[in-house]
């Protein structure tokens, strides 16, 4: 039987990021996906700069090979059937990509073993209960569900038929011919967002070079086809898109993070991305949440050090809520009378300040939310534990000792503290058997970016590595 340290089900951004981080940690990772890459993926396809930073993708590197990378410096917004506002910036605030290219790029650079064109057909516990048996041929202690909203790992973890407030969307992405490109009024640098008057969804129109992406998503699945048809007719009547635009609209679904009640961890199992239900509630964007959930999951897996019981993976759920907000909450707009929602929508969408500062910069682009740090993953010895041994001053020998952990802001301060430690050791007066006070010991976890601030009036200070009983040196 084939074995792997981890099996990732799904090769999208969440799955490929999980695989990359675990490979960096030295794990043998296998990725399964029912599709053969490159594959079509229904998605408007814009990515914020933070995502490229979190994925460690260089923009020039990504452009190689003719991949689409459309800079976005403006957005046009409004209510469907109403007037529009244009909001612009002096630099690109997002980038347009095609998911068939973007997902393939991330997956191929993950370094994992790939089994594309291979769906998950069975998932069962081994007889001893220590591992999962995937498709009756692969044994692994850890399964990561990254297969989107309908991920089979999510169904296995949560059971079938669970009631969920799903957002449904349909979109079309096609390559325009020369005539269609000439008559298309959509500006590539300025995607258009048109909101439903009940604020329960919005449509978009996004041009990426020769490609045009048109779609609409709503929290009302049953009414989606009618709203989509009305939106497309509105765009044609306003001469925004070619009147002869034809194609098959593809659908997809996702859960908004605040309303999702899915379990995300179990014994030897966790969910990332849309499988966990993590889309931003205001925009429905899921690429960034997919990447960041994968980074958070990889950290928890590394900290578990091979013990993937539910209790050891539980911190992942807590970190998701710290990053994306508490889950299982209703959106405020659902609780307001419909007439009030219509009135609010008309006022807010005509406000330039609201559109720029709240709708776009805060909700859609998340400008105030810094990229999640992506340190190299490590699966190794526990965090450094250093024993601080010091002798309290004799009575009358000056102020009582003070201790604390102080983060160093630059290399100069670190060097000064290190010099202070050496000086204190060289000038230490009596030995441990001298006339000083009682010997005190304390163990604390010391992050790599911190040093110990010491009071040089202490009689004696010794730093000892608990593991080796040696001087930890520059630690």
């Amino acid at each position: 039987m084939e074995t792997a340290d981890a099996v990732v089900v799904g090769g999208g951004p969440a799955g490929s990021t999980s695989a990359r981080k675990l490979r960096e940690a030295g794990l043998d990772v296998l990725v399964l996906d029912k599709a053969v890459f490159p594959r079509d993926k229904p998605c408007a396809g814009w990515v914020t700069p933070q995502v490229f930073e979190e994925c460690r993708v260089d923009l020039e590197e990504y452009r190689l090979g003719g991949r689409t990378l459309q800079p976005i410096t403006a957005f046009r917004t409004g209510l469907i059937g109403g007037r529009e506002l244009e909001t612009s910036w002096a630099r690109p605030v997002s980038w347009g990509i095609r998911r068939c290219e973007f997902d393939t790029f991330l997956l191929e650079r993950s370094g994992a073993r790939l089994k594309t064109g291979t769906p998950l057909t069975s998932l069962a516990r081994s007889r001893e209960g220590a591992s999962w048996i995937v498709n009756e041929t692969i044994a692994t202690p850890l399964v990561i569900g990254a297969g989107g909203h309908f991920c089979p790992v999510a169904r296995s973890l949560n059971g079938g038929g669970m009631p969920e407030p799903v957002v449904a969307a349909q979109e079309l992405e096609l390559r325009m011919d020369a005539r269609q490109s000439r008559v298309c009024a959509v500006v590539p640098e300025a995607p258009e967002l048109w909101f439903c008057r009940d604020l329960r969804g919005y449509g978009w129109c996004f041009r990426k070079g020769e490609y045009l992406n048109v779609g609409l998503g709503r929290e009302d699945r049953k009414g989606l086809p009618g709203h989509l048809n009305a939106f497309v007719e509105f765009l044609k009547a306003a001469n925004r898109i070619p009147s002869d635009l034809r194609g098959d609209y593809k659908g997809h679904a996702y859960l908004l993070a605040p309303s999702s009640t899915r379990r995300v961890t179990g014994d030897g199992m966790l969910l990332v991305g849309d499988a966990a239900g993590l889309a931003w509630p205001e925009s429905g964007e899921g690429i960034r949440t997919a990447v960041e959930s994968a980074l958070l999951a990889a950290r928890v897996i590394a900290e578990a050090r091979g013990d993937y019981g539910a209790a050891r993976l539980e911190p992942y759920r807590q970190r998701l809520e710290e990053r994306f907000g508490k889950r299982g909450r209703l959106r405020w707009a659902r609780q307001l009378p419909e007439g009030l929602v219509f009135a609010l929508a008309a006022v807010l969408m005509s406000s330039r300040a609201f559109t720029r500062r709240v709708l776009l910069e805060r909700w859609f682009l998340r400008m105030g939310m810094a990229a999640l740090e992506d340190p190299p993953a490590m699966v190794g010895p526990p965090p450094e534990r250093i024993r601080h041994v010091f002798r309290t001053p004799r009575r009358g020998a000056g102020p009582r000792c003070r201790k604390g952990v102080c983060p160093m802001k630059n290399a100069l301060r670190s060097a000064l503290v290190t010099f202070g430690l050496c000086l204190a050791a060289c000038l230490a007066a009596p030995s441990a058997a001298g006339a000083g006070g009682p010997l005190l010991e304390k163990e604390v976890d010391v992050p790599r970016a911190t040093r110990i601030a010491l009071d040089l009036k202490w009689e004696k200070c010794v730093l000892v590595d608990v593991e080796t009983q040696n001087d930890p040196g520059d630690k």
Side-chain angles (χ1 to χ4, degrees):
M1 180 173 291
E2 189 176 359
T3 62
D5 295 326
V7 170
V8 179
V9 180
S16 58
T17 303
S18 299
R20 173 176 64 86
K21 292 302 298 180
L22 296 181
R23 283 293 300 132
E24 289 178 0
L27 273 63
D28 176 26
V29 183
L30 177 63
V31 178
L32 298 183
D33 198 295
K34 64 182 180 181
V36 176
F37 286 67
R39 53 96 163 95
D40 289 330
K41 172 66 178 178
C43 180
W46 65 68
V47 177
T48 57
Q50 294 95 325
V51 172
F52 282 103
E53 180 180 346
E54 291 166 342
C55 292
R56 299 181 188 169
V57 174
D58 179 80
L59 296 180
E60 294 305 320
E61 175 193 1
Y62 185 78
R63 283 192 179 97
L64 295 177
R67 300 183 187 90
T68 299
L69 189 62
Q70 173 63 55
I72 298 173
T73 57
F75 280 93
R76 290 182 175 177
T77 59
L79 294 176
I80 296 177
R83 69 188 192 90
E84 67 185 53
L85 291 178
E86 180 168 326
T87 306
S88 60
W89 294 265
R91 57 179 175 79
V93 293
S94 195
W95 301 88
I97 51 92
R98 300 189 66 219
R99 287 292 298 274
C100 58
E101 300 170 349
F102 185 72
D103 292 10
T104 302
F105 175 81
L106 294 182
L107 184 60
E108 290 178 346
R109 68 194 284 270
S110 69
R113 292 188 286 138
L114 307 180
K115 284 196 174 184
T116 57
T118 306
L120 177 68
T121 57
S122 66
L123 183 62
R125 269 307 209 186
S126 61
R127 290 182 179 180
E128 66 278 8
S131 61
W132 290 99
I133 306 301
V134 178
N135 290 355
E136 300 182 352
T137 60
I138 307 167
T140 180
L142 180 64
V143 175
I144 300 174
H149 176 71
F150 299 104
C151 179
V153 181
R155 289 199 302 268
S156 176
L157 182 59
N158 289 273
M162 46 189 175
E164 296 176 321
V166 174
V167 175
Q170 289 184 318
E171 63 92 20
L172 167 71
E173 182 167 284
L174 53 76
R175 188 171 188 172
M176 297 183 291
D177 59 32
R179 189 198 66 81
Q180 291 174 327
S181 295
R182 288 195 302 270
V183 301
C184 182
V186 178
V187 178
E189 294 80 9
E192 301 183 5
L193 307 175
W194 299 93
F195 291 82
C196 301
R197 292 187 176 271
D198 60 2
L199 299 184
R200 298 194 66 185
Y202 69 93
W204 63 87
C205 189
F206 186 13
R207 182 174 182 175
K208 295 171 272 189
E210 298 176 336
Y211 292 90
L212 182 65
N213 188 295
V214 178
L216 185 140
R218 278 184 60 83
E219 294 180 83
D220 174 21
R221 285 185 291 177
K222 296 181 180 179
L224 177 62
H227 283 276
L228 175 64
N229 291 335
F231 175 58
V232 173
E233 291 305 315
F234 159 70
L235 291 176
K236 291 181 178 179
N239 296 319
R240 305 308 302 164
I241 62 176
S243 59
D244 60 346
L245 194 68
R246 300 287 186 275
D248 295 327
Y249 285 81
K250 298 180 180 180
H252 65 287
Y254 51 88
L255 293 176
L256 303 178
S259 57
S260 174
T261 58
R262 287 187 176 185
R263 292 177 56 202
V264 295
T265 60
D267 285 328
M269 184 182 295
L270 53 75
L271 306 178
V272 293
D274 281 345
L278 297 176
W280 292 122
E282 298 85 5
S283 66
E285 195 263 331
I287 296 179
R288 182 173 178 181
T289 56
V291 170
E292 293 189 349
S293 65
L295 296 177
L296 293 174
R299 293 182 189 180
V300 172
I301 292 169
E303 293 166 3
R305 291 177 173 79
D307 178 4
Y308 304 133
R312 294 300 301 271
L313 298 180
E314 175 63 14
Y316 171 63
R317 180 192 63 80
Q318 300 169 356
R319 295 182 192 184
L320 285 182
E321 293 195 348
E322 290 173 0
R323 183 67 175 175
F324 305 124
K326 192 169 179 60
R327 297 155 60 83
R329 296 181 288 111
L330 290 175
R331 296 182 62 193
W332 62 269
R334 295 181 187 172
Q335 306 172 38
L336 297 178
E338 189 174 79
L340 181 57
V341 172
F342 289 171
L344 282 173
V347 173
L348 294 177
M349 296 304 296
S350 62
S351 168
R352 291 188 178 275
F354 174 84
T355 299
R356 173 182 289 274
R357 301 302 180 194
V358 180
L359 177 66
L360 295 174
E361 293 184 351
R362 180 175 179 181
W363 287 348
F364 271 74
L365 300 173
R366 302 278 166 172
M367 285 186 176
M369 192 176 188
L372 196 64
E373 292 185 5
D374 181 18
M378 298 185 66
V379 177
E384 297 171 280
R385 295 184 65 83
I386 296 179
R387 177 181 298 140
H388 309 289
V389 185
F390 55 88
R391 182 173 298 283
T392 59
R394 294 167 295 186
R395 292 185 180 179
R400 297 186 62 83
C401 63
R402 298 184 299 272
K403 56 184 181 298
V405 177
C406 174
M408 296 298 102
K409 296 187 181 298
N410 50 51
L412 178 59
R413 290 190 63 184
S414 297
L416 288 174
V417 170
T418 303
F419 173 78
L421 291 175
C422 296
L423 181 62
C426 293
L427 299 180
S431 66
L439 192 68
L440 303 180
E441 295 186 6
K442 182 178 180 181
E443 290 187 5
V444 295
D445 288 327
V446 182
R448 293 179 181 275
T450 65
R451 295 292 187 270
I452 309 304
L454 299 174
D455 185 341
L456 296 184
K457 292 184 179 180
W458 292 346
E459 280 192 44
K460 184 174 183 179
C461 176
V462 181
L463 288 169
V464 180
D465 191 309
V466 173
E467 299 294 332
T468 63
Q469 300 299 316
N470 295 324
D471 183 347
D474 63 357
K475 292 183 181 179

